[in-house]
Amino acid sequence: MSKAIKILLIEDDVNIADNVVGFLQDFADINAVTDGLDGEFEAQEAPYDLIISDLMLPGETGLELIKNLRANDVETPVLILTAKTSLDDKIEGFNVGADDYLTKPFHREELLVRVKALLRRSGVYSEDNTLAVGDVMINLENRGVQVHGQPVKLVGKEFDILTYLAQNKNIIVTRDQIFDRVWGIDSDTTINVVNIYLNNLRRKLEAVGQNNLIKTLRNIGFILEVEDAERNQ
């Protein structure tokens, strides 16, 4: 399974956190933190595809965390994972910006179903584990890329950058966001490496006729743009 999907888990119960990480780690890259303030910082600093958060957390509550993220334009889907079961608690969670709600104790299989549903809704996951962008087909399972059935050989970070841009098609992403997502905010590599890999990726796509798939917006960022016909599908 590809690790193109990144999930942030915010859970202060170590046993539950270990179980969730152990169950989902073959499906996605998971970063787990135990404090609400740490979770908010991580969610704002690094790009994630999904946040799974408890409500009762040290530092700040899950509700405060979600409210602060939405106030700062962080739109990452949030799945609340909590022992609170009342209707009022659920309504409050949705009102501050949560996307789904799963009560403890829970079945691991239901957790995975809800995770996949949220990721499908945001366009970063499909059941056949592929992403189609225009004429480009990205296989997350075997890390293969094809254009009109013709294989395009991409190495490590080239594939990761293309996947990240495809998961955010028609959305501008900055060089910092690409670096944080692909290399990680703790990487010792300089951010200039993004330009090197993007140039290599562009050359390989241009060799198979994809000349304007990835556009540079000067001093802003990059965008993988698709035609209007695909946007309306």
Side-chain angles (χ1 to χ4, degrees):
M1 171 69 70
S2 167
K3 295 300 186 71
I5 295 169
K6 293 186 180 292
I7 295 174
L8 173 62
L9 172 65
I10 310 168
E11 171 60 69
D12 64 328
D13 186 313
V14 176
N15 289 330
I16 292 177
D18 287 346
N19 285 334
V20 171
V21 170
F23 179 62
L24 294 179
Q25 64 184 356
D26 288 336
F27 175 74
D29 279 334
I30 303 181
N31 182 24
V33 298
T34 59
D35 181 276
L37 289 174
D38 291 340
E40 182 183 337
F41 174 81
E42 183 69 27
Q44 295 205 50
E45 289 297 310
Y48 287 92
D49 298 307
L50 178 68
I51 298 168
I52 302 174
S53 179
D54 192 8
L55 288 184
M56 302 302 294
L57 293 166
E60 69 178 7
T61 68
L63 292 177
E64 292 170 333
L65 181 153
I66 298 168
K67 188 176 181 179
N68 291 341
L69 291 180
R70 297 309 187 228
N72 286 282
D73 298 322
V74 177
E75 299 299 330
T76 308
V78 177
L79 168 62
I80 291 176
L81 197 63
T82 181
K84 290 192 170 186
T85 60
S86 76
L87 178 60
D88 287 342
D89 289 326
K90 294 181 180 180
I91 291 174
E92 188 175 12
F94 287 122
N95 283 340
V96 298
D99 297 272
D100 200 358
Y101 200 110
L102 184 60
T103 57
K104 304 173 184 175
F106 57 88
H107 293 287
R108 297 187 303 175
E109 291 76 12
E110 182 180 3
L111 172 62
L112 181 59
V113 167
R114 289 175 182 263
V115 164
K116 288 181 176 180
L118 288 173
L119 293 171
R120 277 197 303 271
R121 191 186 308 168
S122 59
V124 302
Y125 172 78
S126 64
E127 288 297 343
D128 61 1
N129 218 14
T130 61
L131 291 173
V133 184
D135 299 322
V136 180
M137 181 68 70
I138 303 169
N139 190 312
L140 302 177
E141 184 81 33
N142 61 22
R143 296 176 66 86
V145 176
Q146 292 188 344
V147 176
H148 293 302
Q150 177 181 350
V152 180
K153 186 176 181 180
L154 300 182
V155 297
K157 304 300 186 185
E158 295 168 357
F159 178 88
D160 296 332
I161 291 173
L162 178 62
T163 299
Y164 180 50
L165 291 172
Q167 289 171 334
N168 293 275
K169 63 184 179 182
N170 300 318
I171 297 173
I172 298 170
V173 296
T174 66
R175 189 169 62 158
D176 286 341
Q177 287 175 316
I178 294 174
F179 182 81
D180 292 345
R181 174 61 181 252
V182 175
W183 280 268
I185 58 176
D186 297 325
S187 174
D188 294 329
T189 307
T190 66
I191 197 169
N192 291 331
V193 73
V194 174
N195 292 341
I196 296 171
Y197 275 85
L198 264 170
N199 288 337
N200 291 339
L201 174 59
R202 277 199 178 102
R203 279 197 296 269
K204 292 182 178 182
L205 291 173
E206 288 170 358
V208 290
Q210 301 296 305
N211 296 330
N212 297 303
L213 186 63
I214 301 172
K215 296 179 174 62
T216 299
L217 304 176
R218 190 176 180 84
N219 299 323
I220 300 176
F222 309 90
I223 185 169
L224 191 153
E225 227 169 16
V226 297
E227 297 298 326
D228 289 340
E230 182 178 338
R231 294 188 196 187
N232 295 328
Q233 288 179 356

